[in-house]
Amino acid sequence: MRSEVQLTQWGQGGGPRVLLLPGLGARGAGFRALAERLSTFARPVLVEYPEGRHAALGAAGLARQVWRAAGEMDAVVASSFGGMVAAHLASAGAARAVAFLGAFTRTSQLGPRGWLIGMMGPIAVWGRPGRVAAGLAAWRPVSSALAPDVVPMTPLERESTWHRALAIHGEPPPPSLRALPVSCLCIQGTRDVLVPPVTMKRLADALPAGTPLHLLRGAGHVPYFSHPRECAALLEPWLRALSTKERVSAA
């Protein structure tokens, strides 16, 4: 049972160091396909959250653990609830760039759905998500072997999701990134039923003006899992621009 976050560097490439943050009940391992594509021009790092009773942390607590384990990072690619963790990292100066994939920085951006986030724990335990729930999240069929990368399947993962979900409403939301010197990018699936496209405008209002907004046609809630090639194509120029800015600053 993990008591702290666990980091796994993917590949041996150079370029910006990029942390990949999963959602509330998803595994960091679900980012494997995207990490493989990013590793040709960046240094992706998979993040797994604490488990069991150690999972009773809100986004701020998780951000502190991530920062302690990883140190400062060039960029974060965050899915769903991972966006709240990423916002805490960016506002604290631990990350200079964040890409939000079907994500949010505060539950109020979800509208009425925001009240359901705290219920994701009971849903995970009593609803016992499986292939059907994974397919709904990905908006395409998901095999039994890959479903655990998308939804909590084991008793320990369900318990962890329970603790994590209940901790969210017990902490203040992260500060707005609107006025901070942070490079942001938003990618949203047109078939996302959990964080629908209409929420992207609310997210953008909390981000620096001019943040690029991209809609992925046919993608669901986990585009990093279902559409890794398309996500990598959108992330590559953004990440390469970070490297260019770093070289210019150093000169």
Side-chain angles (χ1 to χ4, degrees):
M1 181 187 298
R2 287 188 301 273
S3 60
E4 297 275 339
V5 297
Q6 176 181 302
L7 308 180
T8 303
Q9 173 108 15
W10 194 271
Q12 303 298 321
R17 186 161 172 259
V18 186
L19 261 69
L20 308 177
L21 289 175
L24 193 67
R27 293 178 179 174
F31 277 96
R32 288 187 302 259
L34 178 59
E36 187 66 33
R37 286 165 172 79
L38 295 182
S39 65
T40 61
F41 53 86
R43 293 173 291 157
V45 179
L46 305 183
V47 178
E48 299 290 359
Y49 295 144
E51 297 174 311
R53 58 186 174 80
H54 303 292
L57 288 171
L62 278 172
R64 286 192 293 270
Q65 279 199 13
V66 170
W67 194 358
R68 189 162 58 243
E72 293 186 6
M73 58 219 72
D74 296 306
V76 177
V77 175
S79 169
S80 192
F81 158 78
M84 296 181 71
V85 181
H88 278 292
L89 289 168
S91 65
R96 59 194 182 94
V98 180
F100 297 90
L101 276 60
F104 47 92
T105 62
R106 53 186 62 198
T107 56
S108 60
Q109 292 164 358
L110 301 179
R113 282 177 172 81
W115 293 100
L116 295 176
I117 295 299
M119 290 298 297
M120 294 306 292
I123 290 171
V125 173
W126 298 327
R128 299 175 64 84
R131 284 186 59 195
V132 173
L136 183 64
W139 203 253
R140 63 174 53 181
V142 177
S143 69
S144 297
L146 294 179
D149 286 342
V150 182
V151 295
M153 298 277 283
T154 69
L156 180 57
E157 287 175 334
R158 294 186 181 111
E159 178 194 353
S160 302
T161 303
W162 172 287
H163 287 300
R164 198 171 295 123
L166 294 181
I168 291 176
H169 290 301
E171 65 174 7
S176 172
L177 304 182
R178 187 74 174 174
L180 298 181
V182 180
S183 174
C184 293
L185 176 74
C186 297
I187 300 175
Q188 179 73 49
T190 60
R191 295 293 187 175
D192 191 336
V193 297
L194 299 177
V195 183
V198 68
T199 65
M200 190 161 61
K201 173 61 170 60
R202 302 179 195 134
L203 167 63
D205 287 342
L207 304 179
T211 292
L213 311 178
H214 299 283
L215 282 173
L216 273 185
R217 187 167 298 280
H221 185 56
V222 286
Y224 63 88
F225 173 86
S226 62
H227 293 68
R229 178 177 59 83
E230 292 86 345
C231 286
L234 292 171
L235 291 168
E236 180 173 3
W238 175 70
L239 289 170
R240 289 192 184 279
L242 292 180
S243 296
T244 301
K245 290 176 182 177
E246 185 176 9
R247 289 195 296 269
V248 170
S249 297

